Amino acid sequence: MSGAPSIEHVDRANVDRTLSIERREPRAARYGYAIAIAAVLCALAARAALPPGLPFITFYPAVILTAYFCGLGPALVCTILSGVAVWYAVLPSNLPATGASSAAIALILFGIVVGINLILIERMRRASDANAALAQSTRQLMVELQRETSLRMANEQLAEKTLLLDLALQAADAGTWRYCVRTGRAQLSEQMARHHGFGDQPIEIDVERDWRPRIHPDDAERTLRDLGAAIAGRTKVVTDFRVLMPDGRVRWITGLGQVETDAAGAVTAVVGLSLDITARKEAEAKIAHMACHDPLTGLANRTLFHDRLDAEIARVRRHGATFALFCLDIDRFKAVNDTHGHSVGDALLRIVAARLQAVIRTEDMLARIGGDEFVIIQTQAEQPESASALAERLIGTVEQPIELEGHTLSVSLSVGIALAPADGHDPLSLYNSADRALYRAKAQGRNTFRFAG
């Protein structure tokens, strides 16, 4: 990229910065020069106590120790003072016969030896400082390397978790949202916007103006009430609602949210997920329908029939109403099944069921309870006149010829009718009364109806 530093340049600069060694001049101890003077005086006193010979024997250690502990400056002061003390106080008594030339030579040699030692000590100090600086830089580099490694691993883990979260949201067809309590507006992710028919891009909406009209009227108020209760109680919100899509479809959404608070504890927002549960709701509805309906004809089955019969008996007991129970049986159905096969028999049952369903009112109930047996519950009608009229219509519609797979089939219908509560005060006795009436109708020529009693 233009204008960006190269990798090589960045690495070299980082190494130079990290491994730079500060060459520090050794600083004299706080009292280094006083120590140097004291060292010379001690060396002079010690030398006076020794017999003549080796004039520098006590001054040399004084200079070396001063250089080691106090640095080069005090050591030079100590060297000069030692030379002066030796020249004036020590050499005259140690070299009386040799004269000034020998004393000068001895002093020069002392200076050379001491100078060499001071140079070596200084280099050792510098090497020691350099090693210490290098060790410190190495430790800093290791710490920085560990920190960078930890940071890189944390970033990699975060990226991995973010990727997994994105994959999970995509797999679950989940969207994200954030509702601002102060403004009443919500930020919707791309998927959440798609769930509500707002398009395929993230969007910010006003909940009252934009969101409420998209929600089924039976769900909008309840969902907002759930949201308000979560905000008031600082709890989680879980709610299901239906979205009315622009194309007329209905989509089921479940929303899960968590309240956010500020430093003062006030609720600022609610953040959460939305899941499209339309498929689950449709599956649940299908399972519920299959549990209560006949798979061949789609009519109510025996279970739903008994539930409705129990409810009507209870209504009779509470309010003194009446209703009629019909037991229906298709005449000559076994012959059709045996002659043309079960597929034709099943098709015949579907056609007869559709004809019967077309005759009864919406408030009445038609159910298939097995084989070619059907039952009808007729409510809210004057009896027995309404039951007689309905029985005649049922018989008339079934006896019409049926064209099926190239065959003209003719069947008829026998009907038994029981009136509640006259023919039974409980479901079983009422059903038995209608069933006995059905068998009388079949015994008396079929294609007719009979009342119980």
Side-chain angles (χ1 to χ4, degrees):
M1 182 182 298
S2 177
S6 66
I7 296 177
E8 180 181 357
H9 174 74
V10 172
D11 288 345
R12 177 64 178 273
N14 184 61
V15 170
D16 289 344
R17 175 183 59 82
T18 305
L19 296 180
S20 62
I21 298 173
E22 181 184 0
R23 293 188 173 275
R24 297 172 299 161
E25 288 292 334
R27 293 182 300 176
R30 188 171 185 180
Y31 304 105
Y33 292 99
I35 293 173
I37 296 173
V40 173
L41 294 176
C42 291
L44 183 59
R47 184 68 197 82
L50 294 177
L54 300 176
F56 299 100
I57 190 170
T58 58
F59 294 96
Y60 178 76
V63 173
I64 299 304
L65 292 175
T66 301
Y68 185 80
F69 289 107
C70 299
L72 185 59
L76 291 175
V77 171
C78 185
T79 301
I80 295 172
L81 293 177
S82 296
V84 172
V86 169
W87 179 265
Y88 287 104
V90 178
L91 287 178
S93 61
N94 280 265
L95 301 172
T98 57
S101 60
S102 297
I105 293 172
L107 190 60
I108 292 171
L109 291 175
F110 170 72
I112 293 172
V113 172
V114 168
I116 293 173
N117 281 272
L118 290 181
I119 292 172
L120 293 176
I121 290 174
E122 179 62 18
R123 291 194 174 185
M124 288 176 60
R125 289 177 61 87
R126 288 179 176 270
S128 176
D129 289 344
N131 289 335
L134 181 60
Q136 179 64 23
S137 298
T138 302
R139 285 193 296 270
Q140 292 178 353
L141 181 61
M142 291 299 297
V143 171
E144 184 71 15
L145 183 60
Q146 291 175 357
R147 190 185 70 83
E148 291 292 336
T149 302
S150 300
L151 183 60
R152 184 176 68 254
M153 292 178 63
N155 289 335
E156 291 175 353
Q157 291 175 356
L158 179 60
E160 182 180 0
K161 290 181 179 179
T162 302
L163 177 60
L164 292 176
L165 178 59
D166 290 340
L167 291 176
L169 290 176
Q170 293 177 12
D173 193 24
T176 59
W177 53 273
R178 186 179 189 275
Y179 171 71
C180 180
V181 175
R182 182 178 60 83
T183 63
R185 299 180 66 82
Q187 297 173 343
L188 311 184
S189 69
E190 175 184 335
Q191 193 62 24
M192 179 70 168
R194 189 179 299 119
H195 286 169
H196 287 73
F198 288 119
D200 296 329
Q201 297 298 325
I203 189 173
E204 181 174 325
I205 63 170
D206 184 275
V207 171
E208 285 291 336
R209 185 190 66 220
D210 304 320
W211 179 83
R212 183 190 279 269
R214 297 289 180 102
I215 307 305
H216 193 284
D218 294 341
D219 300 338
E221 190 64 33
R222 173 185 53 79
T223 301
L224 290 176
R225 191 166 55 249
D226 292 342
L227 179 62
I231 294 173
R234 290 173 170 77
T235 59
K236 295 181 180 179
V237 57
V238 180
T239 185
D240 295 345
F241 54 90
R242 286 164 288 180
V243 178
L244 306 177
M245 302 296 288
D247 58 4
R249 293 181 297 118
V250 176
R251 188 191 295 270
W252 273 97
I253 302 295
T254 185
L256 303 92
Q258 176 67 54
V259 169
E260 283 187 344
T261 57
D262 58 17
V267 176
T268 57
V270 182
V271 296
L273 295 175
S274 70
L275 302 173
D276 186 343
I277 58 171
T278 304
R280 192 192 80 191
K281 287 290 186 179
E282 291 176 349
E284 291 174 352
K286 185 176 181 181
I287 292 172
H289 185 273
M290 292 174 61
C292 299
H293 291 79
D294 172 45
L296 179 62
T297 62
L299 300 177
N301 62 9
R302 185 184 295 271
T303 299
L304 192 56
F305 161 68
H306 283 297
D307 290 343
R308 177 69 180 273
L309 184 58
D310 291 342
E312 292 299 329
I313 291 290
R315 191 172 64 87
V316 168
R317 291 171 179 169
R318 288 195 306 269
H319 306 291
T322 184
F323 69 93
L325 176 62
F326 293 67
C327 283
L328 316 175
D329 190 84
I330 301 176
D331 302 326
R332 297 185 298 277
F333 175 74
K334 186 176 184 302
V336 173
N337 230 9
D338 293 343
T339 302
H340 300 288
H342 290 289
S343 62
V344 174
D346 289 345
L348 175 63
L349 286 174
R350 285 192 289 267
I351 293 173
V352 171
R355 290 184 177 184
L356 297 176
Q357 188 70 54
V359 171
I360 67 172
R361 302 170 303 170
T362 55
E363 59 265 33
D364 298 336
M365 179 183 189
L366 171 64
R368 178 183 177 227
I369 60 175
D372 60 338
E373 301 176 34
F374 297 84
V375 291
I376 294 175
I377 297 177
Q378 184 191 38
T379 62
Q380 303 177 6
E382 293 294 330
Q383 300 299 354
E385 294 81 4
S386 296
S388 298
L390 177 57
E392 290 175 353
R393 292 197 301 273
L394 293 171
I395 292 171
T397 191
V398 172
E399 67 182 358
Q400 299 297 320
I402 298 173
E403 296 293 334
L404 191 62
E405 295 187 6
H407 304 284
T408 301
L409 306 178
S410 295
V411 293
S412 58
L413 191 68
S414 295
V415 182
I417 307 171
L419 302 178
D423 298 322
H425 290 82
D426 61 84
L428 181 58
S429 62
L430 187 65
Y431 175 79
N432 289 336
S433 296
D435 192 52
R436 287 192 296 269
L438 170 64
Y439 278 98
R440 283 209 316 275
K442 295 180 77 69
Q444 295 174 10
R446 303 180 180 181
N447 199 32
T448 187
F449 67 92
R450 292 291 182 270
F451 280 94

